[in-house]
Amino acid sequence: MTAPKYDVIAIGNAIVDVMAPCEDALIEQLGLNRGGMTLIDTDGARDLYDAMGPAKEISGGSAANTLAGLAALGAKCAFIGQVADDQLGEVFRHDIRAAGIDFATPVRAGDPPTARCLIFVTPDGERTMNTFLGASQFLPPAALDETAIADAAVLYLEGYLWDPEEPRSAMRRAIGVARDAGRKVAFTASESFVIDRHGVDFRKMIKEGLIDILFVNESELATLTGEADFDTGLAQIAPDVPVLVATRSAQGAVAIVDGVRAQVAAEPIDKVVDTTGAGDLFAAGFLAGHVRGESLENCLTMGAVAAAEVISHYGARPEADLKALVAARLG
């Protein structure tokens, strides 16, 4: 087998976070779910965007965040995701390419527009999020760069994107391409509600040996296995997944590879500012170690370091030098 061009190629939602400060009165006036997250449609997204004051635009999306962390750690990465031919689509394309990640998915003409999360930040720092999934839900199999997928050591799939029909078909096709090329498939469950909707699919893929690396958090593991006890859940699923990684927030993380278990504590930080992207960056650190042949414990430690960095500030992309932080931690 030839050496891959990419360490990791990911398929996920292409979303732009649009953040703007506002007064509490605007939250009330707009009838928003203060401090919560609400899914909105095209008209709602346009109305809320028009109601926002001066905003800061930051590209997001779970798998894209993971790639940003991987690239910051020196990995060679590519992304497949759908944006529209509009201003926020251009923002997303610019940001991901500026991070050193290859992104060549053709833009989608017409409606719906590029996915965005409109975030209203009140003076107390509370974030009220309104998410429009837009064009990201319409990634067709025809948009896949199959040559790039076959030329990546790991194909990383975002569970959030399993819900809409088109990208689900695209990801099924991508799994076939990766496996035919002898590459590994990594999957992140993303959220318990995704497992509630598609758990039959996920369990079937696991049983059929289609997933080589599975990322779950403690809640997702319980939903996937039906076991409330963490260790019982691990024992149920580990025999069917070559690499199982389970995070437990402040309690650290566990990984099991071929029956060998390793675990690490969470990295200490002065203050948790924003937990958005913690799981995404943990996956980034773990995969960065995995593709360069680090020990299982070192992979977990790299994940914990990356997660600790991202929860120490607002936003789901790393701001500090992850390479330096990992080097200092591993010695």
Side-chain angles (χ1 to χ4, degrees), residues 12 29 31 75 84-85 91 106 111 132 174 199 224 251 261 273 275 301 308 315 327 330:
Q29 176 188 330
D85 188 12
V91 169
D111 283 332
F132 169 64
L224 188 63
Q251 296 181 63
R261 175 171 171 154
V273 176
T275 58
T301 299
L330 295 183

Side-chain angles (χ1 to χ4, degrees), residues 16 27-28 135 140 144 155 163 170 217-218 225 234-235 269 295 302:
V16 177
I27 300 291
E28 184 174 348
L144 297 177
L155 167 67
D163 204 41
N217 63 27
E218 189 169 14
T225 63
L234 289 176
I269 63 170
S295 69
M302 291 172 68

